[in-house]
Amino acid sequence: MLPRRGLVALLHLLPLLLLPLLLSSAALAQQPLPSQELEALYGLRASLGLRARDWPDRADPCAAWAGVACRAGRVAGIRLAGLRRTRAGALTAAFAVDALRGLAALESFNASGFPLPGRIPDWFGRALPPSLAVLDLRSAGVHGELPLDLGMSGNLTTLVLAGNSLSGRIPASVFASKALRFLDLSNNNLTGELPVVSVSAGDGAGILFNASGNLLYGAIGDGLGSLRKRFQIVDVSSNYFGQVAGTVFGNDSDGTVLLRMNCLTGMPSQRSAGDCEDFYKRNGSPLPEPPQASPSPAKKGVKWKHVLAGVLGAAAIVVVLFLTSLLLCLLRRGRRRPRGRGLELNDDGIRSARKSSSVNPMVLSPSWAANSPRKGLPTIVDGFTYEQLHHVTGGFGDDNLVKHGRSGDIYRGSLESGLNVVIKKTDLKSSKKNIVELGFLVKKSHARIVPLLGHLVKDDEQLLVYKYMAKGDLTTALHRKPVDAEEGLPSLDWITRLKIAIGVAEALCFLHDECRPPLVHRDIQASSVLLEDKFEVRLGSLSEICPQPSEGSRSFFSRMLRSSK
C-alpha cells in the first residue's frame, strides 16, 4: 500500500500522464480534410452559388457548413435541401455538380427541392464516387433524358428522381446496383415500355419501384414480371400501359402492384377508351389488344359434324328467344300505357315514373348511390384494415387532423410502403352523403377525379382512403405566403392558373357529358379543387353529387343548389 505522501505525488502526476492521450484524441476529432476534398467542396460552393451564411469562407466545412457531414476526416454526406443561392447564383443556376467527383468517400447527396435546372451529365453514369449510396434529386428542376449508363457507378441503395421533367425511356442500367432498394421515377415525362430487368439470386431485396404519373405505354408483360421479382411494391399507375395477349390480371392489385389509370382491359379504375386511343394515335403506335383466350387442343380436334350440331342448336335457341320476346311485346301492347310525362331512364336503363313533377330529384337515388349505409358495400376494399388506418393516423389524433370537413373529419397518414394518404372518417348514423360519394367513386373513374384507394366500415364508422395531394387545395395555393417576401412569388402565376382552370373544366365535362345519366357536382369551390405535385387537378368534395334534372324538373334546379349550402 502506497504511503500517503506517495499517493499525493501520484495525483499530481496523473494530469501529465493523461495529457498526451487527450491531445491525440482532440487531434483525431479535428483531423483536417484532404486537400482534394477541400478543393472539391469550395468548387461545389462556387458552381452552385451558395450563400456565405450557409457555407462561410475560411471556416471548417465539417463544423460550420450547413448540410455537410464528415466522418473520420472525410466528407460523407451533402444535403442541399433547404439551402439557397445568392442572387447572382440564381441567375446562372444550372446542374453544375462536377466537383462531386473529387469526394471519394461521399455516401449521400440530397438536393431535394434545390433548383438544379438542366440535364443530368453523362459522367453521372460511371464517375460517381464508389461509396455513394443515396442520390436524391426530387423536385430539382432536372430535365432531359437519363444517361444510358446511370446506375453503373456508386453503390446506390436509394435513387429518387421524382417530380422533375425527365423524358425518354427508362434505361435498364438504373437497376444495375445489386443493393438498390428504393427507385422513385414518378411524376416525370418518361415514355416507352418498362425495361426487362435481369434478376439473379439475391436481387429480391428491393422495397419500392415507383414510375407512376409518367407517359409510359405499350404492352405490359415481361417488364412488369421482372420488376415484381425485384421489388416488393411496384407502382406504375397513371400511365398508358396496354394489355398484351396472354397477360392476365385477376385484380387491380395483387398486393404489390398498382395499376390504376392505365389502358388495361377488364380492370377497374382505368382510363377511358377515347383517352387511350387519342394517346396512342398521337404517338403513332397501335393500342395493345386485350388478351385472347386460346382454344384448347381438345377443341381443335372436334369433327365438323359436332360443329354443325352446335351451330344448329345455337340458332334454334336464338329463334326461340326471338319468338318469346315477340310474344311478350304483343301482350304488353294490349295493355294501357302510362303517360309519357314523368318518365325517365335511370342508370340501368329501366324506365321509372314519378308521381308528380314536384318530386325532388334527390329522392330518386341513382343506381350508384345506396339507400342504406351497409347495403351492397364491401367490408374492406384494397386490403386496408381498421387497425392499419388507426395506426397510420396516430389513433385519429389531433396531430394528424387536417380539418373538420362538412361530411367528416379528414386525417393524413403514411402507409408502411411510404405512400402518403388522406383518410376521411364519418359517422354513418349522422350523415349518408358519403354513401353517394362512395358509390360514385366505386363505379366511375377519371384522371381529373380524386382517386379512392380504399374503403371500409367498422361498427358505425366509415373510412374512405384517398391519395394524398401534395399541393393541397386551390384555397391553399391561391393564398400561400412566400418564403422570402423579397424574392418569392405572392401567388400562382397565370400559366398555372390557366392549367388549373382547364383541369376543372375537364372534370366538369366528364360529369356533365360522359356520365350516364349526366351528373351535377353542386359544391364547386376552391377547397373542392385538389392539386397534385405539378398542379394537376383532382376534383373532390363529391358528397353532394346528384343526377342532372330532366326536362320536367328543371324549374327546381336552383332549389337543389340552395339546399346544398
Side-chain angles (χ1 to χ4, degrees), residues 508-523:
L508 295 179
C509 180
F510 167 72
L511 295 177
H512 297 171
D513 297 334
E514 298 182 28
C515 293
R516 292 293 181 272
L519 303 177
V520 181
H521 189 279
R522 301 202 307 163
D523 193 21

Side-chain angles (χ1 to χ4, degrees), residues 124-126 147-157 159 170-183 195-203 209 227 230-231:
F124 251 58
R126 295 186 178 273
L148 295 179
D149 53 358
L150 178 63
M152 299 298 293
S153 59
N155 190 29
L156 293 177
T157 62
L159 177 59
I170 301 176
S173 60
V174 297
F175 304 95
S177 175
K178 301 295 184 181
L180 188 64
R181 296 175 63 82
F182 295 92
L183 176 57
V196 178
V197 181
S198 59
V199 180
S200 58
D203 286 353
F209 171 76
L227 288 172
R230 181 75 181 273
F231 296 92

Side-chain angles (χ1 to χ4, degrees), residues 61 109 120 146 165 218 288 301 303 305 320 356 367 429 451 475 521 526:
F109 180 70
I120 297 178
L146 294 173
S165 300
K303 296 181 179 181
K305 293 183 179 180
V320 171
S356 67
S367 62
K429 291 183 178 180
T475 302
H521 189 279

Side-chain angles (χ1 to χ4, degrees), residues 85-120:
R85 301 176 187 265
T86 62
R87 292 180 181 274
L91 295 176
T92 59
F95 199 106
V97 293
D98 292 1
L100 291 180
R101 287 183 282 186
L103 303 174
L106 187 66
E107 299 175 5
S108 173
F109 180 70
N110 186 345
S112 175
F114 186 86
L116 291 173
R119 301 169 62 94
I120 297 178

Side-chain angles (χ1 to χ4, degrees), residues 15-31:
L16 297 177
L17 295 175
L18 295 178
L19 182 61
L21 180 61
L22 295 175
L23 291 177
S24 62
S25 62
L28 181 62
Q30 298 177 1
Q31 184 178 357

